[in-house]
Structure formats: structure tokens, C-alpha cells
Amino acid sequence: MKLIPNAHKKIPMMFRAQVGGRSQLQYLDPDKKRAGEQQDVERWADEWTDKAEFISAEDAQDVQTETYGAKSYQISWRFVTNGGQDDGMLRPVIGASGIPFYPGSSMKGAFRQACEEAEKAGDIPLGTCNNYCGDESEITPGILRFQGAYPTNDWTKGLLDLVHPQQGWQVMTRDTDEKPRGESAYAQVSLYQPTLRFAISCSKPLSSDRWQQIWLIWERAIAAGLGSKVSTGYGQITKTSHPIVYRAKLKGQGQAAKLIDGTGEFRPNIFRAALRGHALRIFGGITDSESAKELVQSLFGGIEKKEGTVGLLGFQFQPSRLEIKSFGSGNYAQPAYEVEGELIWFLAKPLSDPKQKLILDKLVSKLMQFAMIMGGFGKSWRRVDHREFFEEYYENNYKALIGCHWQWLGENTQSRNVQVSRLEKVGEFLEIVRQIAREWIQSQNKPLRETEWAKDWREAWHPSNVQVWGRIADNNDESAAVRWFHKPYQQKIQGIQPEGSIYQSSVTGKIGQISLIWHRVYPLIIVKNNPENPRKPIIKPTPRYLELITLFPDGSRESNDFLDFLNAKPDGFKLLWGEEQ
């Protein structure tokens, strides 16, 4: 009998044990990346899709009979479920012929939850859910059978999803701390913008009105998001029946996220990451660290101490224009996005007290405005887009893409969200944000502890921990601070002053070290009362910008020297918020 050499290497990845040297789907091996070799999860996906079958939309039309119905819905971004097959790895349930599917049991659970909410709201008669889904207390079956769903478009594109949590590292740790465990990049498998065909059958004939009611309940269920990680933007369709908390149209540009194969993707969960981080910063400046984390957990959901929480807030981003193209040359080439669209935050589950809705609306509105005024969204959000405000930086193209730039889009959004039109308004706005955060904390029966705030967090938003400086820039070529990140901010004069520089220092950060400084160039828009129509303010764009520097001094020599420089009010910079140090 002939032995097959290296037989263990010929076994498909799907049937290998999740151990080192065999198959580690979630782990991304840096040695393989440097050598240009496939990661285990890439080979796993190639082997899967090579043998899988497909069901076309033509073969899966929407149907409706007296005892059977099927409808298709498109997921706006990504859809992920946990098949529970591979240790530590999120990947879909895979059915016959290799087709991924959404199980009927999961569909029934989502339907029942939406049905019970509709009953409580008085939208459908009491007893409807037990009739459809069965009475669990009496173990009585319902009349409906949930068949689950499968994709009818090409689901093989963009399967490999890269997840990179960084909240703890960016907000809470100090520079001396190591990066927290669990905050390295890892792989998961999710379907990109799949069209899912859901099917329901009934044990007895139903009228068209009853079927309409059933599908309305299902649309209520799917509007809250399906599958795993819905609070981070996965599993959302393009509409919601949930109460709207906040909506705004945005326009942005910056560096796109890279998938495992290097493909660029605009990932809507950048909005959730930004607001979650800013909420943590602001709460951390007015209450203790544990209360701040619990408040953020209740708002945005997540897993804390191995316990999952469904957050109050869900979100959707509906792009009206999206373009991804390469920027830069050689090893510096990176995918970059330009996007326009509408961002919606909605109430994903009922509040314990309906009176809290007004405070929540104000809180989310101020968090969004804070994010827009002080920084941006996505990669390199702490820096201005150098293409926009430091064009000469890219004269030879062999430079990394730095920063992002976001703006409010449209007069309706601008009239509601433009809060600062001059420097003096910045400090007032920041105090309003903190006051509304206090109101939310008290509404949640959490303590205000402004003398016991999270002092060990790098970016807790407390006046003794952060300073905001600002000036007016006349146009997009007139940013003063952007050059300080790349060359000395103060020239050496022999015998008079030393050279001052934050370039490649602890102030500006580097790979493995979070920056102490944010830099934002925010478009200056004037909003005036309209005497002819008080409900429609006059919006007046200008060529000017508010140039803002946010600094978290850490007592280092570089930080202290830079503070001394700012205190001399260079180029018109002045302290807008925070305690003088």
C-alpha cells in the first residue's frame, strides 16, 4: 500500500481541527501575509465556493398561495450569522449543496419577538402570536412553519470580513499600557449585500389579509436587523419601522477599510464606532469608569464580562453615492472612498420610561455633532484629509494617505446640526454636550461623579484632562497646524529658542501608540433666522473653516513644550475649552 505524502495537507480546511498547523480560520498569520501566501480562512472560502451551488433570482420568485409565501429582501451592507461549527469563528450556517442559509428557527424567534411587540403596542389582537407561533407555556404548536432564507444573488463576493475592535486601546488605556487582549484584527465570514428569500408555510389556508399581516410582522422583525452583530450595522435592510432617534445627510472622504485580500470597502459601522467612543469619552469625564462603560453598553450593546447586551440604539446608513478608488503609488497605494448618504439612528428596543426618549434624541444629536465638529469617522479620523488641506504633501505621490474629511450635506441637515459658526461657540457647545450627558446619566439612575471621573483613561473628556484650541482659517489652503505634524512648529534660533517639533513624537503617536492630539478643519457655515419663514433658516456657506486642535496633555517634555508654544497664541490659536496647564 502506497502512503500519500503530507496527506493531512490535502484534507479540505472545512474538515480540519481548529489547531495550530492544521486550520486557524480566525487567526491571521503575519508570516503568511509577508510571504504572499493564502491565509487559512482564504483557502477555506475558496474550497467552499468552488463546490457550492447557487440559486438564481429567476428560480426563486416571490410567491403567495393560501398555504405558502416567499418574499425577498436585500441587506444594505453585510449579513453575518454564527453557524457554531468552528471554534472562535463566525461563519454562516451552510446547508445542502454548500448554500449558506438563515435557519428557520432563527426566523421564528425574530418573528415571535416582533409579533409580541406588535401585540403590546395594540397593533394586532392579543393571542395572535400564540396562534402563529404556538403557546410555549402549553407546548402547543402554531399554524406557521418558518422555512428560513437563502441568498438568490451572487453571495460569493467579498465573503471574508475583517474585524478590528480598538475602543479600549484608543479611549481607556495610557501609552504605557499594552494593547488590550481581543483588540487585534481577526477574520469572520459574512455575506456582502445578499438578497435573501424568506419562506413561510401554514398548516391551513389563510386569506390574503392574514398573509399581509404576517408579512408586515416579518418586516417589523427584519427592520430591527437579522443575524449576529446587528448593533454594529450588520443584517440591516434599507428601511426601519422603529422610532427614529436622529437622521442626517452626510458627505465624506477618507481611507477605505481593507479586507483580507486587500480590497477596499466602505464600512458603515464607522459611525457606531465613533459615537460609542465619544460617548465613552464624555461619560468618562463626568462619572466613574464602571458607570461610564455600563452606560455605553446599554446604549450601543456589546459583550462585557462575557454577557451580551442588546443596545437601545440601532443604525442604518443608506449611501446615495459611493466611489472607491486607489490613491497613492507603489507600496503607498491605498483604497479611498468618497461617499454621500443618510445616516439614521433608531430605537432598537423600548425604553423603560418613554419620557427618556426626548433626552435620548438630544444625546444622540449632540454626539453626532460632537463627532463632526471635533474629528470625523473611520480610519485616521484624528487627522484632516491632507489631500484637502495640505495638497503639496502629495507632490510625488509616494506618501501615505492621511486623514478624512466629513461635512453636513443639504440645507435641512445643516439647519439642524450647525452648532458653531464662530470660535466662541465651541466652548458653549462642549458644555451643552456635557450637560445633556449629565441628564442622560441621571435618567438612568447612575451617579454623577465629576470628582471621581475616569482619571486613568487617556481620553476622558474632563477639563483637567483635555484642551481645545482654535482659530479661523480663511480657506482650505490656510491651515496652520497641518504642517506642524510634518516639520518643526518652531525654528531653532541660536541662543534664543530651541527647535520645537511634535513630528514622530508621543504627541502625534505612531504605529502601536495612540496620538495625544486631534486636528480638525471644520467648514464654517452661517445659519441665520429667516424673518419671512422662521421654520426655514437662511444657510450661508463660506470659504472659511474653524481649525481646531484637541490635546490630551500627558506631562511629557514634548507635550509641555507644545503647550508652551500654543500659549503664545501662534497664528491666532487660542484656548476655547479646558483648564490652562
Side-chain angles (χ1 to χ4, degrees):
M1 183 177 71
K2 255 188 176 180
L3 293 176
I4 302 174
N6 297 317
H8 67 283
K9 293 185 177 180
K10 295 178 172 59
I11 298 172
M13 301 297 287
M14 191 171 286
F15 304 108
R16 296 191 189 186
Q18 292 299 302
V19 295
R22 295 283 179 166
S23 177
Q24 289 182 292
L25 300 182
Q26 190 181 47
Y27 173 67
L28 301 178
D29 189 336
D31 292 333
K32 287 185 177 181
K33 182 178 179 180
R34 282 190 289 268
E37 297 177 9
Q38 272 192 320
Q39 298 285 349
D40 286 358
V41 70
E42 291 179 290
R43 181 176 167 186
W44 181 91
D46 285 348
E47 291 174 344
W48 169 31
T49 56
D50 182 56
K51 301 298 182 183
E53 295 183 5
F54 303 89
I55 300 174
S56 69
E58 290 75 17
D59 296 331
Q61 297 293 325
D62 291 352
V63 297
Q64 186 66 67
T65 69
E66 290 184 336
T67 58
Y68 178 81
K71 279 194 175 184
S72 297
Y73 301 86
Q74 184 173 29
I75 302 297
S76 62
W77 177 43
R78 284 187 172 274
F79 177 71
V80 60
T81 54
N82 187 6
Q85 298 294 308
D86 298 298
D87 184 36
M89 178 69 178
L90 284 177
R91 57 96 157 170
V93 179
I94 300 174
S97 303
I99 301 172
F101 75 97
Y102 179 63
S105 57
S106 299
M107 188 178 177
K108 180 179 179 180
F111 184 94
R112 176 181 281 279
Q113 182 177 352
C115 190
E116 290 172 350
E117 289 176 1
E119 275 191 3
K120 289 178 183 176
D123 297 334
I124 57 176
L126 292 174
T128 301
C129 299
N130 285 344
N131 180 40
Y132 286 153
C133 301
D135 188 340
E136 293 178 331
S137 62
E138 298 181 9
I139 319 179
T140 304
I143 63 173
L144 298 183
R145 302 292 178 267
F146 298 89
Q147 312 296 333
Y150 54 83
T152 60
N153 58 348
D154 187 355
W155 51 267
T156 65
K157 307 298 183 185
L159 280 172
L160 301 182
D161 192 1
L162 196 61
V163 183
H164 198 177
Q166 298 191 58
Q167 173 185 280
W169 188 44
Q170 292 203 20
V171 179
M172 294 182 280
T173 57
R174 291 288 179 183
D175 289 336
T176 53
D177 296 334
E178 293 184 2
K179 193 170 184 178
R181 292 186 64 185
E183 295 206 356
S184 298
Y186 62 89
Q188 67 182 18
V189 179
S190 63
L191 307 183
Y192 181 72
Q193 294 184 338
T195 297
L196 299 176
R197 183 180 189 262
F198 297 88
I200 303 172
S201 62
C202 187
S203 60
K204 64 179 184 179
L206 294 177
S207 67
S208 59
D209 289 345
R210 291 290 297 278
W211 274 112
Q212 183 180 16
Q213 182 188 67
I214 289 166
W215 286 113
L216 285 174
I217 294 171
W218 178 242
E219 287 175 4
R220 186 175 185 143
I222 199 173
L226 289 181
S228 305
K229 299 168 74 73
V230 295
S231 65
T232 62
Y234 288 76
Q236 302 288 344
I237 59 172
T238 55
K239 64 178 180 178
T240 178
S241 59
H242 289 257
I244 302 296
V245 172
Y246 174 88
R247 68 195 312 157
K249 291 184 177 179
L250 310 174
K251 174 183 179 181
Q253 63 185 46
Q255 183 178 336
K258 273 188 180 181
L259 300 179
I260 295 172
D261 62 0
T263 303
E265 180 182 64
F266 177 77
R267 300 173 68 86
N269 56 4
I270 60 176
F271 301 112
R272 176 184 180 269
L275 258 64
R276 187 185 179 100
H278 289 322
L280 199 59
R281 292 176 179 94
I282 292 163
F283 291 149
I286 49 183
T287 188
D288 62 276
S289 58
E290 285 305 311
S291 294
K293 287 190 284 186
E294 289 171 8
L295 286 159
V296 170
Q297 190 84 347
S298 70
L299 280 172
F300 297 96
I303 297 174
E304 186 77 23
K305 298 177 182 177
K306 297 185 178 179
E307 293 184 4
T309 301
V310 177
L312 288 170
L313 296 171
F315 80 97
Q316 296 174 350
F317 182 71
Q318 300 170 9
S320 56
R321 185 180 76 86
L322 175 59
E323 183 179 0
I324 296 179
K325 54 188 177 182
S326 181
F327 176 83
S329 301
N331 292 333
Y332 291 101
Q334 295 288 335
Y337 64 81
E338 291 182 10
V339 68
E340 296 178 5
E342 184 174 43
L343 177 65
I344 296 172
W345 289 91
F346 60 84
L347 192 61
K349 66 178 186 179
L351 289 160
S352 58
D353 180 356
K355 294 178 182 177
Q356 296 172 359
K357 175 69 163 49
L358 182 59
I359 306 174
L360 182 61
D361 290 355
K362 291 193 293 184
L363 177 67
V364 175
S365 174
K366 292 308 169 190
L367 286 173
M368 275 297 302
Q369 292 159 7
F370 180 92
M372 285 286 283
I373 293 169
M374 307 307 297
F377 305 98
K379 287 194 168 197
S380 199
W381 66 266
R382 288 174 170 83
R383 298 289 181 268
V384 299
D385 193 321
H386 283 38
R387 297 169 297 176
E388 191 80 14
F389 301 103
F390 194 17
E391 193 176 359
E392 62 264 36
Y393 181 74
Y394 295 111
E395 285 178 353
N396 62 14
N397 261 8
Y398 287 92
K399 296 282 183 66
L401 197 162
I402 298 176
C404 66
H405 185 62
W406 286 84
Q407 299 176 223
W408 305 113
L409 183 63
E411 290 191 354
N412 287 339
T413 293
Q414 291 167 347
S415 66
R416 295 192 306 269
N417 289 283
V418 172
Q419 299 293 302
V420 294
S421 55
R422 59 182 189 272
L423 289 176
E424 292 72 22
K425 288 286 186 181
V426 174
E428 294 177 19
F429 168 74
L430 294 174
E431 284 303 320
I432 291 171
V433 174
R434 282 164 52 85
Q435 179 54 35
I436 291 171
R438 290 186 187 98
E439 293 176 18
W440 178 253
I441 290 172
Q442 291 175 312
S443 77
Q444 301 304 296
N445 298 316
K446 294 290 184 182
L448 292 176
R449 291 180 174 165
E450 299 194 45
T451 59
E452 301 174 33
W453 54 281
K455 297 179 182 179
D456 58 336
W457 290 6
R458 174 195 289 110
E459 293 187 345
W461 200 265
H462 188 276
S464 66
N465 193 56
V466 57
Q467 292 185 356
V468 179
W469 295 76
R471 67 183 282 270
I472 297 292
D474 289 332
N475 54 62
N476 65 343
D477 292 325
E478 214 255 320
S479 166
V482 69
R483 291 161 180 80
W484 300 344
F485 291 85
H486 304 282
K487 57 183 70 174
Y489 57 79
Q490 178 174 276
Q491 298 298 321
K492 179 178 180 178
I493 302 176
Q494 193 68 34
I496 298 178
Q497 68 180 25
E499 180 181 88
S501 177
I502 56 174
Y503 176 61
Q504 292 187 341
S505 72
S506 62
V507 176
T508 52
K510 56 188 177 182
I511 295 176
Q513 183 182 48
I514 298 296
S515 169
L516 302 177
I517 189 170
W518 307 352
H519 180 212
R520 171 67 159 135
V521 181
Y522 179 70
L524 199 156
I525 296 171
I526 307 297
V527 180
K528 292 184 175 181
N529 290 329
N530 186 347
E532 297 181 1
N533 186 354
R535 294 186 177 182
K536 188 170 177 151
I538 298 171
I539 308 298
K540 184 181 176 183
T542 78
R544 308 175 82 194
Y545 295 83
L546 300 180
E547 183 167 21
L548 303 174
I549 288 177
T550 302
L551 183 66
F552 298 86
D554 67 347
S556 65
R557 181 184 60 79
E558 293 94 341
S559 172
N560 290 340
D561 288 348
F562 188 58
L563 268 180
D564 290 341
F565 172 69
L566 288 176
N567 281 318
K569 299 183 178 178
D571 296 287
F573 271 103
K574 58 183 179 181
L575 182 63
L576 306 178
W577 193 83
E579 296 174 0
E580 292 188 12
Q581 297 186 16

